[in-house]
């Protein structure tokens, strides 16, 4: 369990990072200035270099407590996600597979952390993203020269969407289908490939590399493409995590099962999904901090014409925002606990453990991260839009950052696996337990997230039992409903799949026909239940300071009931709830909890909101002086009071009405 004391221990690190960024002119904000994409990318790279100079964390400090790097990435992201991703793609996503491989890459690792080289992670292609089995780049072993030959068969197989590749990466971890001299394809493997000269940043021979263009957000990050034409790399450049080739060209792997080997090859994607869970949760925290501070200070209307009240006093505003505040707390706690789970799994990878527990850890981490990424990124995306609207016209001003948060969060729904596709992996994991459930055989998972399914048959008999609104206002109520919901959707998904197969459909068709309303809903319900379970356990822990328990329990209950309310139709459809009272209790409990939390809302966002310089939103500043802050920001703009450069087009060059009208 993530303890309050452990969270407090990172305050000195956070303050050190925030203070450094605020004091350094290179990180200064420039109100009213619109950077072109080229300039933004240059500035992002210069800032990334500066992060290396600050060296906020040493490798030793990270090894002692991996949660430090987690917190550092979040702090940098709060300032600017393009900078955060550029830094982490190099130091984490690029370096991670290299660190996991053999010790022969020790010198290479030194070059990574001294920034002698700069890396990227080249997996996806123009015609294949989520379907990584369809990757078509090839790496053919040449026995005579002891080299791999990297080739792109055609433009559709060009590496595409690769962060850092567009302008400046010198090396890439390239995923390619490995071919041995006998012509056999040994599946997807990763290789270190140099793509640019480290002294000139010009492409190396055989490589065509470039930038894919402007995106909807994150334009400080240069996403690129690359094609390879007979690019030769040393035999030693294969990242031999899952397999290797002998000098004679024979393939060997300690993992005999092909599916297990493929999963191990892409194991680093779970790291990315866990990080995206945290990044999305951070965006949720940023957006809700701005919107709640604004809502507490913004006064509109009131009981009399002379008295205006804060918009946060209105029930509608509470209902729009406070469930997202509760979600921010629940998802924040979950994302940290998931990272701690991953650290346990990763330690086993580094020590080359091959135990059954290690394999089970991998499966559970994969299932959790494949669902937590969709839940957190969708929640943050919906919250950013709701917060934008809840702040009215001021929310639409770019200076107040809600649009930037929304646009920069948007790709979290897609990269490292499309959300809807990822949910299938979680539902597959859950469906895999059905044989044990049917046979009533004992089973459990390392982190215990599926252990409640041992009571599957008993849980299916549960009913909604609350007798009042007050009785419903504890997270144990939605938690019980969620356990029933997961069991019910698991049963219905299994029955649906069986019926599809019995009707003569292939496995592919049957699974495809079981997603909407069945497997997809199952995966979502499972991850919401897991997030709620962990937050419920935390908020009901007797060791929690008594002064914090009431408000944290209210947050837990609100998150659970609000999330559950989206599944009300299924609760009634499956017979868990009946009559109008169950639905009414849940709805009224949500509104009552919002009302209870409104007076603590500002204090609750103050807990996780970064300093004003980092938050960078006039309406989200801690002072609450909305209008003074907006006015000051506008007048700081260098061109706010300037006459337009095209003034003569109005004042001198008047149009001749009808001059261009057709005379036919």
């Amino acid at each position: 369990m993530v303890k309050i004391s452990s969270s407090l221990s990172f305050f000195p690190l956070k303050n050190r990072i925030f203070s450094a960024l605020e004091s350094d002119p290179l990180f200064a904000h420039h109100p009213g200035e619109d950077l072109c994409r080229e300039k933004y990318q240059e500035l992002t790279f210069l800032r990334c270099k500066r992060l290396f100079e600050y060296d906020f964390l040493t490798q030793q400090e990270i090894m002692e407590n991996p949660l430090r790097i987690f917190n550092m990435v979040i702090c940098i992201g709060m300032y600017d996600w393009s900078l955060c991703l550029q830094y982490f793609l190099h130091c984490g996503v690029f370096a991670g597979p290299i660190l996991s491989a053999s010790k022969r890459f020790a010198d290479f690792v030194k070059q990574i952390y001294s920034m002698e080289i700069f890396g990227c992670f080249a997996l996806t292609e123009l015609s294949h993203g989520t379907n990584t089995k369809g990757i078509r780049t090839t790496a053919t072993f040449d026995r005579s020269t002891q080299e791999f030959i990297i080739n792109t068969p055609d433009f559709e197989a060009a590496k595409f969407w690769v962060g850092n590749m567009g302008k400046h990466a010198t090396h890439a971890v390239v995923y390619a289908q490995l071919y041995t001299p006998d012509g056999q394809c040994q599946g997807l493997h990763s290789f270190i490939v140099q793509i640019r000269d480290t002294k000139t940043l010009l492409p190396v021979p055989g490589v065509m590399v470039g930038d894919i263009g402007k995106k909807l957000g994150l334009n400080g990050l240069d996403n690129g493409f690359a094609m390879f034409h007979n690019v030769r790399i040393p035999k030693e450049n294969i990242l031999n995590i899952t397999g290797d080739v002998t000098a004679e060209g024979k393939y060997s792997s300690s993992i005999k099962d092909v599916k297990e080997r493929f999963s191990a090859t892409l194991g680093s994607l779970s790291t990315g999904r866990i990080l995206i869970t945290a990044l999305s949760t951070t965006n949720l925290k940023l957006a809700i901090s701005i919107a709640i501070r604004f809502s507490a200070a913004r006064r509109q209307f009131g009981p009399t014409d002379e008295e205006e009240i804060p918009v946060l006093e209105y029930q509608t505003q509470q209902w729009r925002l406070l469930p997202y505040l509760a979600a921010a707390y629940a998802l924040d706690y979950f994302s940290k606990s998931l990272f701690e789970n991953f650290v346990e799994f990763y330690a086993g990878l580094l020590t080359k453990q091959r135990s059954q527990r290690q394999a089970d850890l991998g499966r559970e981490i994969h299932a959790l991260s494949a669902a937590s990424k969709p839940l957190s990124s969708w929640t943050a995306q919906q919250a950013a839009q709701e917060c934008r609207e809840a702040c009215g016209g001021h929310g639409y001003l770019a200076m107040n950052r809600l649009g930037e948060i929304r646009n920069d969060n948007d790709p979290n729904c897609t990269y490292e696996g499309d959300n809807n596709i990822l949910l299938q992996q979680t539902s597959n994991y859950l469906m895999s337990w059905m044989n044990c459930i049917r046979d009533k055989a004992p089973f459990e998972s390392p982190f215990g997230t599926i252990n409640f399914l041992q009571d599957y048959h008993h849980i299916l008999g549960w009913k909604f039992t609350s007798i009042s609104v007050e009785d419903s206002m504890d997270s144990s109520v939605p938690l019980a409903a969620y356990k029933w919901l997961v069991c019910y959707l698991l049963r219905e998904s299994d029955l649906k799949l069986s019926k599809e197969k019995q009707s003569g459909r292939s496995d592919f068709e049957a699974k495809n026909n079981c997603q909407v309303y069945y497997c997809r809903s199952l995966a979502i319900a499972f991850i919401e239940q897991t997030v709620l379970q962990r937050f419920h356990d935390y908020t009901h822990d007797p060791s929690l300071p008594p002064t914090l328990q009431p408000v944290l329990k209210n947050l837990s209950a609100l998150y659970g009931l609000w999330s559950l309310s989206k599944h009300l139709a299924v609760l009634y459809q499956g017979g868990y709830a009946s009559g109008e009272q169950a639905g009414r209790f849940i709805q009224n409990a949500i509104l009552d909890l919002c009302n209870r939390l409104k007076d603590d809302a500002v204090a609750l966002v103050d807990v996780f909101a970064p300093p004003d310089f980092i938050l960078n939103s006039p309406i989200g500043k801690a002072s609450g002086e909305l209008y003074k802050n907006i006015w000051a920001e506008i007048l700081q703009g260098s061109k706010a009071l300037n006459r337009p450069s095209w003034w003569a087009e109005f004042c001198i060059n008047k149009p001749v009405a009808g001059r261009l009208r057709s005379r036919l």
Side-chain angles (χ1 to χ4, degrees):
M1 179 179 286
V2 182
K3 297 290 186 183
I4 289 177
S5 56
S6 67
S7 298
L8 291 174
S9 68
F10 297 114
F11 278 178
L13 171 65
K14 292 179 178 180
N15 289 335
R16 192 162 77 248
I17 294 170
F18 291 151
S19 297
L21 300 188
E22 187 168 2
S23 303
D24 192 329
L26 184 60
F27 293 88
H29 300 302
H30 302 282
E33 183 178 332
D34 286 325
L35 289 176
C36 67
R37 195 166 69 94
E38 184 80 15
K39 189 65 180 174
Y40 186 14
Q41 290 179 351
E42 178 189 354
L43 191 56
T44 301
F45 185 73
L46 291 174
R47 288 167 173 169
C48 190
K49 279 177 63 178
R50 189 61 57 87
L51 293 179
F52 277 84
E53 292 171 343
Y54 280 119
D55 197 20
F56 291 118
L57 286 175
T58 64
Q59 286 298 303
Q60 182 61 36
E61 288 174 319
I62 294 169
M63 292 298 290
E64 287 172 359
N65 189 345
L67 266 172
R68 287 174 177 151
I69 189 69
F70 179 92
N71 280 275
M72 188 183 87
V73 167
I74 295 304
C75 288
I76 296 168
M78 284 181 168
Y79 170 78
D80 179 40
W81 288 116
S82 290
L83 171 62
C84 169
L85 291 171
Q86 183 169 105
Y87 181 82
F88 186 73
L89 284 170
H90 172 68
C91 295
V93 181
F94 171 68
I98 298 170
L99 285 165
S100 299
S102 64
K103 293 180 181 178
R104 70 186 184 209
F105 296 108
D107 289 339
F108 204 87
V109 170
K110 289 178 184 176
Q111 293 179 67
I112 293 172
Y113 292 108
S114 63
M115 210 172 161
E116 293 174 53
I117 64 173
F118 212 92
C120 59
F121 184 83
L123 172 63
T124 55
E125 297 176 354
L126 180 59
S127 61
H128 284 93
T130 303
N131 180 18
T132 48
K133 287 183 180 178
I135 295 299
R136 293 170 55 231
T137 303
T138 61
T140 305
F141 184 63
D142 184 342
R143 191 167 39 204
S144 64
T145 61
Q146 296 293 292
E147 293 173 315
F148 287 102
I149 305 169
I150 310 297
N151 251 312
T152 305
D154 53 58
F155 77 92
E156 290 188 3
K159 292 298 178 184
F160 204 82
W161 272 114
V162 182
N164 290 345
M165 180 178 272
K167 295 292 184 184
H168 71 280
T170 61
H171 290 70
V173 168
V174 175
Y175 280 79
Q177 303 291 349
L178 169 58
Y179 282 86
T180 42
D182 58 4
Q184 293 294 309
C185 179
Q186 306 296 342
L188 204 62
H189 288 69
S190 51
F191 305 81
I192 300 175
V193 183
Q194 184 168 357
I195 58 174
R196 287 187 178 93
D197 187 286
T198 56
K199 292 183 171 59
T200 66
L201 277 192
L202 293 173
V204 299
V207 177
M208 182 174 79
V209 59
D211 188 277
I212 66 172
K214 189 175 182 179
K215 309 179 293 288
L216 294 180
L218 296 175
N219 281 300
L221 181 69
D222 52 313
N223 290 79
F225 65 87
M227 293 183 71
F228 305 95
H229 180 66
N230 294 331
V231 176
R232 290 179 172 268
I233 61 172
K235 172 184 176 295
E236 292 74 26
N237 278 29
I238 183 174
L239 293 174
N240 54 344
I241 302 167
T242 58
D244 210 339
V245 176
T246 66
E248 294 73 33
K250 299 292 184 184
Y251 180 77
S252 64
S253 175
S254 59
I255 307 172
K256 302 307 176 187
D257 183 77
V258 176
K259 285 186 177 180
E260 189 180 335
R261 192 188 311 151
F262 179 76
S263 297
T265 301
L266 296 175
S268 57
L269 293 182
S270 285
T271 318
R273 290 162 190 160
I274 290 166
L275 182 71
I276 292 169
T277 300
L279 302 190
S280 299
T281 301
T282 303
N283 280 326
L284 171 59
K285 292 184 335 190
L286 292 173
I288 203 67
S289 295
I290 295 168
I292 283 181
R293 284 177 172 176
F294 172 87
S295 299
R298 174 79 161 175
R299 292 174 177 268
Q300 295 288 288
F301 307 107
T304 67
D305 291 342
E306 291 75 33
E307 180 189 2
E308 289 188 306
I309 63 173
V311 295
L312 193 55
E313 292 295 331
Y314 291 100
Q315 185 185 74
T316 303
Q317 194 80 343
Q318 296 167 21
W319 173 76
R320 293 171 74 184
L321 296 179
L322 296 184
Y324 286 115
L325 173 62
Y329 269 85
L331 286 168
D332 186 55
Y333 182 81
F334 175 79
S335 69
K336 289 170 182 172
S337 69
L338 182 62
F339 186 80
E340 289 186 341
N341 294 156
F342 177 75
V343 168
E344 180 183 345
F345 168 67
Y346 193 65
L349 285 183
L350 292 178
T351 53
K352 311 294 183 186
Q353 290 185 24
R354 291 278 182 253
S355 66
Q356 183 58 50
R357 175 176 170 78
Q358 182 66 16
D360 291 343
L361 281 171
R363 290 182 67 222
E364 192 169 8
I365 283 283
H366 180 73
L368 290 171
S369 63
S372 66
K373 183 186 97 74
L375 177 62
S376 59
S377 60
W378 276 333
T379 303
Q381 198 65 11
Q382 293 152 8
Q385 181 62 28
E386 193 67 66
C387 290
R388 205 295 297 152
E389 294 181 36
C391 293
H394 294 316
Y396 193 63
L397 269 174
M399 69 169 71
N400 289 319
R401 206 184 170 190
L402 288 167
E404 176 192 314
I405 291 167
R406 180 187 60 197
N407 290 348
D408 283 356
N409 184 77
D410 200 350
N412 289 336
C413 303
T414 300
Y415 51 35
E416 303 293 325
D418 173 84
N419 281 357
N420 283 286
I421 305 299
L422 286 182
L423 290 171
Q424 294 184 34
Q425 299 182 31
T426 303
S427 62
N428 288 343
Y429 173 75
L430 294 169
M431 297 277 277
S432 71
W433 296 103
M434 277 308 296
N435 285 336
C436 291
I437 290 171
R438 274 190 288 266
D439 297 341
K440 297 186 179 180
F443 60 90
E444 61 181 6
S445 61
F447 302 123
T449 57
I450 53 93
N451 289 3
F452 72 95
L453 293 177
Q454 294 179 87
D455 295 325
Y456 168 91
H457 299 285
H458 174 64
I459 290 172
L460 282 173
W462 289 0
K463 301 290 182 186
F464 184 84
T465 57
S466 292
I467 56 173
S468 67
V469 172
E470 188 67 30
D471 196 34
S472 306
M473 292 170 64
D474 186 89
S475 48
S476 60
V477 173
L479 194 54
Y482 261 117
K483 288 179 179 176
W484 176 90
L485 183 64
V486 172
C487 291
Y488 173 76
L489 288 169
L490 183 56
R491 184 188 73 185
E492 295 302 299
S493 298
D494 184 58
L495 288 171
K496 173 70 171 171
L497 184 62
S498 297
K499 287 177 183 177
E500 290 290 327
K501 288 181 178 179
Q502 287 167 11
S503 67
R505 291 186 174 86
S506 65
D507 285 353
F508 179 84
E509 288 178 306
K511 283 188 176 180
N512 182 48
N513 292 344
C514 289
Q515 296 307 314
V516 181
Y517 302 126
Y518 294 93
C519 293
R520 182 182 183 276
S521 300
L522 167 64
I524 292 172
F526 168 72
I527 194 62
E528 288 175 344
Q529 183 272 331
T530 305
V531 171
L532 180 59
Q533 180 73 67
R534 291 192 179 187
F535 195 48
H536 170 86
D537 291 345
Y538 168 64
T539 56
H540 289 69
D541 185 342
S543 66
L544 200 66
T547 52
L548 296 179
Q549 285 183 19
V551 69
L552 289 175
K553 285 181 178 179
N554 284 339
L555 287 168
S556 181
L558 178 56
Y559 174 70
L561 291 166
W562 173 72
S563 299
L564 185 68
S565 67
K566 301 167 192 174
H567 303 282
L568 271 177
V570 181
L571 296 178
Y572 277 99
Q573 181 182 315
Y576 181 77
S578 59
E580 67 177 37
Q581 277 197 325
R584 194 68 53 80
F585 286 165
I586 290 172
Q587 291 170 346
N588 289 338
I590 289 170
L591 296 177
D592 282 5
L593 285 164
C594 286
N595 187 57
R596 288 186 185 185
L597 285 164
K598 69 176 172 63
D599 292 337
D600 294 317
V602 172
L604 286 166
V605 298
D606 286 348
V607 170
F608 54 60
D612 286 346
F613 173 79
I614 301 295
L615 187 58
N616 192 26
S617 171
I619 63 171
K621 285 189 174 183
S623 67
E625 295 182 297
L626 291 183
Y627 310 120
K628 179 181 176 181
N629 294 333
I630 293 173
W631 194 247
E633 188 87 0
I634 290 171
L635 294 183
Q636 283 181 58
S638 59
K639 298 180 181 179
L641 303 176
N642 287 10
R643 162 176 87 167
S645 60
W646 40 267
W647 66 270
E649 292 297 330
F650 173 79
C651 297
I652 299 172
N653 301 322
K654 297 294 184 182
V656 178
R659 183 172 69 88
L660 300 177
R661 180 184 294 172
S662 172
R663 303 300 179 186
L664 296 179

